Amino acid sequence: MLYYYREKEITEILKTHERKANQLLKQVQSNRILEVFKKQWVSVGCGEITTSVNSNVMTFDSTAINNEIDDWINELDKCVEVEENIKNNLKATEDPYNLHQTKYNNITNDVITLKGIYRSLKADIKIVKEDFKNAVRIHHAPMREALTDLSILYNSVNHVEGDFSDFKNVSVYIHGIEDTRKGFKNSALKAANKGEIVVIIKRDSKKSKENKEYYIVEINEKGEKELKKVSFKELKDTKVYREKKERLHIIYEPKVMNEHRQSTSDDLAEELNKMGLMNGKAKIDMFGHSYGGRRSLQFAMDYPEKVRSITTVGTPYDKNDLAKVANNARSVADTFAKRNTTDTSNYLDFNKDNRKNIDGKDYSNAYTDLDCEAMTEDINHLKSANPEVYQKLKDINITAVAGNVEEEYVNAHPSDTRTSPKYKKNSDEVVSVKSQHGDILGELIDKKLEIDVKGNGITRPAHIYETEDDEFVDLIKKVNKKEAE
């Protein structure tokens, strides 16, 4: 081992650090981390990294390594403190003072240099850690989807039932970007019949471990429909739950607000499987707003045998210009438009174009998806790779509803008293009619409808009113009735 000239106190500390570093690397067994240590240890100029690594790992815990390096930095600081105390206790007139001043300066300079090297080492480890995370996350979604499929198959083969296994007609409502369950909660209430059950699957809450709310549709004293909240125990005692003849309404709130459609599909499948709706008689009618339509179609692509119909409103099936702007000017969108463009799940798209990066961490979410990929790309891949599944998609009744804004022409002169004619703008001000109608999906779309939606320019666009629009609620009723028949 070669040790450059240093004060012996520093040399002894570095010997200890070298020994501990080799022990750590032996435990971690990562070639990437070994390379990082070897690169930085050359600058330390003390000893060498002798550990060899016999295997490559998919992940590692950086906590122990970082804690150890922090301890090394603290040891160096304490060494400086000890020497400073000795120096301060000596009088400037005494002979040892000047000698110790030199020693103190040598140690201080060495510590400053070594602490810089150790901090660089931690920074390099952080980069490797994120690389590991990104690599693992790329394989996480397919693995998770496969495990869910195995669970569904197991439940089906072994006749494992959930709490809602015997419901035949199920409506699932999925919202879009920057939205919550509230819009579809009102729509589902208006569309549901008296006595029907509404289940809300909420985003995970720190306040409660229970992620579901249960309601019964009732008529109040004013003759209006309302949701009566009940416990699951109370729900089980109701006639509608015991007989399971009526429609079950499920309002699904993605676990992450702006999560990628594939992540929503995986999460939803897992939840429905737990409820017993993926292995029984249930046929699902899906209703999606905005990006919720993409999420619904993705679920149908993954589980076409379970989906009977899809009805979307305001869904951008094509790439979306506003999402592109938000995705590429995140700070502006977040600050001024109050968006949450970096809100994301652990899902990472295989398509590298469908990713963004924050501090070394890659992510994919609704914004990256809308920016880089039209739904036709996945549909075409599916059509080539699995024509049987594509045929199942063709058998699903898919209705794409476009929202239009009706406005009046403004008369040019105030004295003109003639009634201003009305006209329809060719979009809901956020998504073009062409994109909402899913023209790029070709023969998959069975019906292309249009509804008039109230709106007020960019500040209160028609897009946000689409789920509760009376015409759309009436359509939900018609779809539910027709599909049940």
Side-chain angles (χ1 to χ4, degrees):
M1 287 187 244
L2 173 64
Y3 295 100
Y4 295 108
Y5 173 75
R6 281 193 171 101
E7 300 294 344
K8 65 177 183 178
E9 289 82 357
I10 294 294
T11 299
E12 291 304 316
I13 289 173
L14 290 180
K15 284 180 181 179
T16 304
H17 293 178
E18 176 200 338
R19 177 173 51 81
K20 289 183 176 179
N22 280 299
Q23 289 174 348
L24 273 173
L25 291 167
K26 190 175 181 179
Q27 293 171 0
V28 172
Q29 285 294 303
S30 166
N31 268 312
R32 289 287 307 278
I33 296 298
L34 178 61
E35 290 169 7
V36 165
F37 265 83
K38 282 184 174 180
K39 183 186 78 172
Q40 293 293 351
W41 217 258
V42 172
S43 301
V44 171
C46 176
E48 58 184 338
I49 299 300
T50 57
T51 299
S52 60
V53 174
N54 299 318
S55 61
N56 287 310
V57 293
M58 282 295 290
T59 186
F60 75 99
D61 184 5
S62 65
T63 306
I65 300 175
N66 285 324
N67 288 343
E68 185 63 50
I69 296 173
D70 287 337
D71 288 342
W72 297 351
I73 291 173
N74 288 334
E75 286 174 14
L76 292 170
D77 285 335
K78 286 177 182 176
C79 181
V80 172
E81 287 177 15
V82 169
E83 296 303 320
E84 188 173 23
N85 288 334
I86 294 173
K87 178 175 72 76
N88 291 338
N89 287 330
L90 292 171
K91 294 181 180 178
T93 54
E94 295 177 357
D95 287 341
Y97 179 82
N98 290 331
L99 227 105
H100 203 84
Q101 180 68 48
T102 302
K103 181 179 180 181
Y104 171 75
N105 290 342
N106 290 341
I107 288 175
T108 301
N109 291 335
D110 257 347
V111 166
I112 290 171
T113 301
L114 290 167
K115 283 169 67 176
I117 293 169
Y118 286 167
R119 290 192 180 105
S120 295
L121 178 58
K122 286 185 69 176
D124 286 349
I125 290 169
K126 183 179 179 182
I127 292 171
V128 175
K129 178 184 175 183
E130 292 302 337
D131 286 347
F132 268 107
K133 278 187 178 180
N134 292 335
V136 170
R137 284 165 60 238
I138 249 190
H139 297 90
H140 174 77
M143 287 171 61
R144 184 162 165 243
E145 192 174 355
L147 288 172
T148 300
D149 289 347
L150 285 172
S151 179
I152 292 170
L153 180 62
Y154 176 86
N155 289 357
S156 180
V157 170
N158 293 280
H159 306 291
V160 177
E161 294 191 350
D163 294 327
F164 297 87
S165 289
D166 292 328
F167 279 89
K168 296 179 181 178
N169 298 303
V170 181
S171 293
V172 175
Y173 307 84
I174 307 178
H175 66 73
I177 293 183
E178 306 287 355
D179 204 352
T180 65
R181 61 187 180 272
K182 293 179 182 177
F184 266 131
K185 183 178 179 180
N186 294 328
S187 304
L189 170 61
K190 292 176 183 177
N193 296 319
K194 178 185 175 183
E196 291 182 339
I197 296 171
V198 176
V199 179
I200 296 179
I201 302 178
K202 304 182 296 180
R203 193 168 292 140
D204 292 341
S205 171
K206 294 180 180 178
K207 296 180 181 179
S208 173
K209 293 181 180 179
E210 178 57 58
N211 73 327
K212 294 183 182 68
E213 291 178 351
Y214 305 97
Y215 296 89
I216 300 290
V217 178
E218 293 190 346
I219 306 297
N220 61 23
E221 295 175 354
K222 297 179 181 179
E224 300 169 336
K225 283 190 291 186
E226 65 179 13
L227 293 175
K228 179 186 176 183
K229 190 174 183 180
V230 295
S231 66
F232 183 66
K233 183 178 180 182
E234 291 171 323
L235 181 65
K236 288 197 295 185
D237 291 334
T238 62
K239 181 180 178 182
V240 67
Y241 178 83
R242 289 195 304 268
E243 294 184 349
K244 297 180 174 62
K245 293 179 180 178
E246 303 298 329
R247 178 172 287 273
L248 173 65
H249 301 263
I250 298 175
I251 300 165
Y252 183 74
E253 186 173 46
K255 291 183 178 179
V256 176
M257 182 183 291
N258 295 325
E259 71 181 8
H260 191 281
R261 53 189 156 91
Q262 184 62 64
S263 188
T264 299
S265 177
D266 295 343
D267 292 337
L268 178 60
E270 190 175 345
E271 289 288 349
L272 295 181
N273 188 42
K274 290 176 185 175
M275 295 173 73
L277 295 170
M278 295 295 285
N279 63 336
K281 304 171 184 176
K283 288 296 180 182
I284 299 171
D285 299 306
M286 306 196 77
F287 298 92
H289 173 237
S290 192
Y291 191 76
R294 279 192 172 219
R295 289 166 168 160
S296 300
L297 185 54
Q298 183 65 55
F299 181 83
M301 290 165 64
D302 295 337
Y303 306 98
E305 68 283 351
K306 300 307 301 178
V307 179
R308 181 167 54 191
S309 72
I310 301 174
T311 305
T312 65
V313 61
T315 291
Y317 285 107
D318 208 339
K319 296 179 184 180
N320 184 265
D321 289 337
L322 281 178
K324 182 176 183 179
V325 171
N327 190 38
N328 292 284
R330 290 172 294 173
S331 59
V332 176
D334 293 348
T335 303
F336 297 102
K338 306 302 180 186
R339 302 290 90 183
N340 295 283
T341 56
T342 58
D343 190 29
T344 183
S345 64
N346 280 327
Y347 175 78
L348 190 59
D349 201 300
F350 273 92
N351 180 358
K352 290 185 178 181
D353 292 335
N354 195 343
R355 299 184 200 170
K356 275 290 184 180
N357 188 284
I358 308 173
D359 298 328
K361 178 183 177 182
D362 288 334
Y363 73 90
S364 301
N365 66 6
Y367 284 107
T368 62
D369 184 39
L370 285 169
D371 178 10
C372 88
E373 198 166 76
M375 284 296 288
T376 186
E377 293 183 35
D378 279 354
I379 294 295
N380 287 337
H381 292 157
L382 178 68
K383 190 175 182 179
S384 301
N386 199 330
E388 288 187 11
V389 172
Y390 179 75
Q391 183 57 48
K392 288 180 181 179
L393 284 181
K394 284 180 64 178
D395 294 338
I396 294 171
N397 295 323
I398 304 179
T399 300
V401 182
N404 277 311
V405 186
E406 191 173 68
E407 294 187 350
E408 293 184 357
Y409 281 112
V410 178
N411 291 323
H413 198 279
S415 62
D416 190 346
T417 57
R418 289 176 298 176
T419 303
S420 299
K422 292 189 175 183
Y423 69 100
K424 286 184 178 179
K425 293 182 70 174
N426 194 28
S427 74
D428 67 358
E429 298 177 313
V430 175
V431 187
S432 71
V433 167
K434 185 177 179 180
S435 184
Q436 292 181 76
H437 274 163
D439 287 353
I440 59 169
L441 300 182
E443 58 188 357
L444 285 186
I445 304 296
D446 299 293
K447 294 180 182 178
K448 301 178 181 181
L449 308 179
E450 292 187 19
I451 58 175
D452 294 329
V453 186
K454 64 179 180 179
N456 184 21
I458 298 175
T459 55
R460 302 294 293 174
H463 195 72
I464 65 176
Y465 298 107
E466 287 171 333
T467 52
E468 297 181 63
D469 185 85
D470 288 340
E471 284 187 79
F472 185 64
V473 171
D474 287 340
L475 179 60
I476 295 174
K477 291 179 183 177
K478 290 176 183 176
V479 170
N480 283 341
K481 183 178 179 181
K482 176 181 176 295
E483 296 298 341
E485 291 171 351

